[in-house]
Structure formats: structure tokens, C-alpha cells
Amino acid sequence: MEMEFVAKRCGVRFDPPSIVLVYEDGKTKKIRQRIMPVRNFSKYSDCSQAAERLKNNTRHRAYLRDVTSRQLERLHVVLRDRLLGRTLEQSLASLRLDPNQDLNKLSDEELARKKAQMDVLFERNRKCKDDPDFVYDLEVEFPEADDHETCSWDESEDGF
Amino acid sequence: MARGTSDISELDQEKYDTDEQVKIICLGDSAVGKSKLMERFLMDGYRPEQLSTYALTLYKYTTTIDGKAVLVDFWDTAGQERFQSMHPSYYYKAHACIMVFDVQRKITYKNLTNWYKELREYRPEIPCIVVANKIDADMKVTQRNFNFAKKQGLPLYYVSAADGTNVVKLFKDAIKLAMSYKKNSNNFMDEVMRELENFELEQKEESSDKEDGVPKEEKPSLP
């Protein structure tokens, strides 16, 4: 079946809190913008639930078919952060993975965000029990060769 | 340290002295994949015991070694690593340690130094395996030398909790190491006990000699 609406980009509008979708109309091939206000949403709201609610909304769901729940959730996180007084930069930083950031120092919620992002890769590479090529005891040898490059992480002064 | 975690010492850990009970602890920074590794190893068979008051998760595993059933308790942190330090009871009576870092995050590798230092303060002798997790994200890391393990003389395993590479091997080897440590440290204790017994026997012999001799020898020196 041909897609009726092809999502191109999405974003947020802060006032009133809304999710914005730029899409192509499958019939007319025209690029259009749709603004979807997020209702009953406060700084205490569950972003994942709110995202699901929007995705299943009878008026919007046709447009949001190829927007993932995860992406909608992230957009809701940005909206909620604004209600909590955080800047857009802070919000985006919390949704990005910085390999040098010490995650031990984050709050539960901030850590959960980082873990959720790591889970994307985890799920993508995950081999499940039901996969035809699943091997429970998968052993792979990585022989230590002389030409192994020294890990750049070791090239510093701090006692390593 | 959070107030709740201090109660960890109330847990009964004397059981780990018995032959058929083993304690293996997991260490490493937040989000390096410790729990995911546990879950991949135990698959459907896992039944974690959340001890949230102790900020700790226990995974129980039963296996057979040399025809004998062995109960393995895997201790996993439940956020306690956020204090950059674990309660002493976490280390108490542990027979082996699995120390994990994330190959995508340098800081988790750097922090191994701190985890290892703390481990050795409490358990100077137990076997420890260093685990480079998330190799599925970048297989090239398996071509790199991570000097920390080499420098400390520790085995290094390249694993992926996502695709399962070397996860089962890691845990099976950890159990073997824990069992052999337990056996040898018991033997060591047995030897110490035997030495002590010998010592006591010798002392008794000495003192019984004295008892015989004292009256004779002491008589002349009496005023």
C-alpha cells in the first residue's frame, strides 16, 4: 500500500506545547506541516504514555505511522523539560550520549534517558532466543596479535 | 552512602562458607551492561531478587560441578555504584569478581582503576575477570590492547550482552575460578588449622615436660 503521508521531519513548538510534523502528502506530493497540540500534559506527565496517546490519536495516527514511539517520546521529553525550566540545550544534551560523561553522577531520571538511548543499539544488535541463528553459548576467540594497536585510552599519564 | 544500603550487613552471608555456595560479585560503572550480561547468561531461567533496600540485585543460579550441585549467587549493583563505592558487605566473602567496562565509553575504562583498588582493599586474593562489553557496537575494539588488564595480570574477555558473544563462557569461567579459589582457600585454611593443632600439641608436650621437670628443677632454687 502506498503511504498516504510520508513523514519528513518532526519537532516541537513550546507555546502551546505541540509536536510539529513536516510530511509529504502521498497524493499531491506537496510538503505540508501539521501541528499537533499535546493535551493534558504537565511536568509530571509520563512522556512514554503521552507519546503513545498521540500516536494512537484518531486524528493524528495516519500522519504518525512512520514516526517511531521513541522519537515521539523524545519530543515529549523536550516539551516536559521546558515545563521544568530546562533550556533546549540542556534537554538535548541529556538525550545525547557523550562518551566522556560520567554517568555515575546522574540522577535516576537522567540515567534512565541515557540507558534508553543505549538500548536502541542493544535492541538493534540483539540476538534473541527465537532467532534462527541464535547460539546460547557463543564463543568467539579474539587472538592477541603482536600488531594489536595500543588502545589510545591507555595513552595518558593517569597511572594506566 | 544512602541510609538504606547500610542495612546490607544484615544479610546472612555465613552460607557462603559452605562447600556448595558460591558468591560472585559484579563491579563497574553505571550503564556498562552488568545486568544485561546477567540476563543474557541466565536467559529465561533468571529470577532476580531485588533487594532495593540494599541497592542490590541477587541472581541465583544452580549448576553441577564434579557431580555436585552448586548454588551460585551473582551479586549485581542496583544503583549503588553511583556512590562510586560499594558497601563493604558487597565484597564480604566473595569468591570471584566480574569487572565490566563499556568499550564505547572511555571513562568506564578509566574508572576500573578505582573499582579494582576498592576490590583489593576488601578481597586481596579473589580471582577477577575484566570484561570489555558492547563489542557489537564496534568490533574493531577487539583488535586493541587494553593495558589495564595486562598490567594487573587479569584475564580480559571481549563480550556482547546483545549478540551473546562470550557471555556464557565468561560466567562459566567465573564460576570455575570462584570454585577453585574457594577450594584452595579452604585448603589453605585447613593447613592453617593443622599448623595450629600441631602448635597446640607441641605446646602441650612442652608444658607437660615442664610439669614433670618443674618440681625437680625448681626445688634446688627455692630459698
Side-chain angles (χ1 to χ4, degrees):
Chain A
M1 192 192 90
E2 201 191 331
M3 275 288 200
E4 220 177 328
F5 308 107
V6 183
K8 293 288 182 193
R9 276 205 314 276
C10 37
V12 295
R13 176 172 287 186
F14 287 125
D15 196 20
S18 318
I19 304 289
V20 183
L21 175 74
V22 176
Y23 66 95
E24 188 187 87
D25 187 315
K27 290 194 195 95
T28 64
K29 300 290 171 203
K30 276 197 178 133
I31 297 290
R32 300 186 61 89
Q33 180 173 287
R34 186 176 180 82
I35 296 169
M36 295 161 280
V38 176
R39 315 224 183 254
N40 302 319
F41 189 72
S42 79
K43 59 183 174 185
Y44 305 110
S45 294
D46 180 317
C47 291
S48 148
Q49 276 176 21
E52 279 312 306
R53 205 162 52 228
L54 188 70
K55 202 166 163 58
N56 295 322
N57 182 296
T58 46
R59 287 173 50 232
H60 303 311
R61 65 178 173 215
Y63 298 87
L64 294 173
R65 198 172 297 147
D66 45 359
V67 180
T68 63
S69 299
R70 185 173 293 279
Q71 187 165 11
L72 283 177
E73 185 183 336
R74 288 160 62 93
L75 293 168
H76 280 82
V77 166
V78 173
L79 289 176
R80 196 186 55 184
D81 278 353
R82 170 53 64 105
L83 298 173
L84 288 165
R86 292 178 192 151
T87 67
L88 183 60
E89 286 70 31
Q90 288 172 328
S91 212
L92 293 178
S94 79
L95 292 167
R96 216 180 294 126
L97 276 180
D98 172 1
N100 295 313
Q101 188 182 15
D102 191 339
L103 302 188
N104 293 331
K105 299 195 169 107
L106 298 184
S107 70
D108 285 350
E109 199 229 314
E110 288 170 314
L111 181 63
R113 283 189 194 181
K114 301 291 181 184
K115 283 190 174 181
Q117 270 162 279
M118 293 178 188
D119 278 347
V120 177
L121 184 70
F122 179 82
E123 290 301 332
R124 196 187 302 149
N125 292 343
R126 187 178 203 170
K127 282 267 182 299
C128 291
K129 191 162 98 316
D130 303 325
D131 291 341
D133 55 346
F134 177 82
V135 180
Y136 172 63
D137 188 355
L138 177 64
E139 279 189 34
V140 182
E141 265 193 66
F142 300 104
E144 201 183 312
D146 293 335
D147 58 348
H148 263 197
E149 50 180 307
T150 301
C151 174
S152 60
W153 292 356
D154 290 311
E155 286 165 6
S156 54
E157 53 318 310
D158 36 25
F160 257 58
Chain B
M1 184 67 55
R3 191 156 17 119
T5 59
S6 59
D7 299 327
I8 196 174
S9 45
E10 291 165 11
L11 282 174
D12 170 34
Q13 298 207 55
E14 300 310 313
K15 63 178 182 182
Y16 296 123
D17 288 333
T18 60
D19 279 350
E20 59 282 357
Q21 300 247 17
V22 180
K23 172 178 174 180
I24 297 177
I25 56 173
C26 296
L27 282 183
D29 277 11
S30 298
V32 292
K34 299 183 291 293
S35 305
K36 284 216 159 55
L37 286 169
M38 287 301 329
E39 287 162 19
R40 175 56 178 77
F41 171 61
L42 300 172
M43 301 298 293
D44 296 337
Y46 92 91
R47 32 179 210 284
E49 218 175 288
Q50 296 282 355
L51 303 173
S52 50
T53 40
Y54 307 115
L56 125 89
T57 308
L58 278 186
Y59 295 84
K60 294 184 178 295
Y61 178 72
T62 313
T63 186
T64 310
I65 290 171
D66 299 331
K68 274 206 303 192
V70 176
L71 294 168
V72 187
D73 275 359
F74 289 101
W75 286 50
D76 186 15
T77 65
Q80 209 186 137
E81 70 273 36
R82 308 258 289 283
F83 303 104
Q84 317 257 18
S85 168
M86 303 297 293
H87 190 278
S89 301
Y90 192 78
Y91 297 98
Y92 186 60
K93 289 188 189 292
H95 301 110
C97 174
I98 292 171
M99 208 166 65
V100 189
F101 73 98
D102 174 350
V103 295
Q104 295 211 284
R105 291 190 294 132
K106 177 178 174 176
I107 187 147
T108 66
Y109 176 67
K110 290 292 177 191
N111 282 339
L112 289 181
T113 321
N114 305 329
W115 289 118
Y116 193 62
K117 190 165 161 262
E118 186 169 276
L119 170 71
R120 287 311 180 212
E121 276 168 27
Y122 295 105
R123 304 298 283 153
E125 303 283 347
I126 63 169
C128 177
I129 298 176
V130 179
V131 178
N133 188 28
K134 308 193 190 179
I135 58 166
D136 57 279
D138 178 11
M139 286 301 285
K140 279 192 294 231
V141 297
T142 61
Q143 297 297 308
R144 296 205 305 213
N145 283 321
F146 291 97
N147 277 338
F148 173 78
K150 195 175 273 178
K151 211 170 154 185
Q152 304 292 347
L154 303 173
L156 171 69
Y157 285 51
Y158 295 100
V159 314
S160 160
D163 68 25
T165 304
N166 292 332
V167 175
V168 175
K169 181 178 167 52
L170 161 69
F171 283 98
K172 285 188 172 166
D173 289 355
I175 295 170
K176 276 184 217 153
L177 287 170
M179 286 302 285
S180 84
Y181 168 77
K182 196 180 167 88
K183 211 169 143 222
N184 292 327
S185 62
N186 281 351
N187 288 348
F188 174 68
M189 279 307 287
D190 286 348
E191 265 167 46
V192 172
M193 288 306 288
R194 218 172 295 135
E195 291 282 317
L196 282 173
E197 277 164 25
N198 289 341
F199 183 66
E200 276 174 19
L201 282 175
E202 277 168 32
Q203 270 195 327
K204 262 185 201 150
E205 278 165 29
E206 261 177 51
S207 56
S208 57
D209 279 353
K210 267 183 194 158
E211 270 165 35
D212 286 346
V214 164
K216 287 174 212 159
E217 276 170 32
E218 270 183 343
K219 261 177 199 163
S221 61
L222 278 169

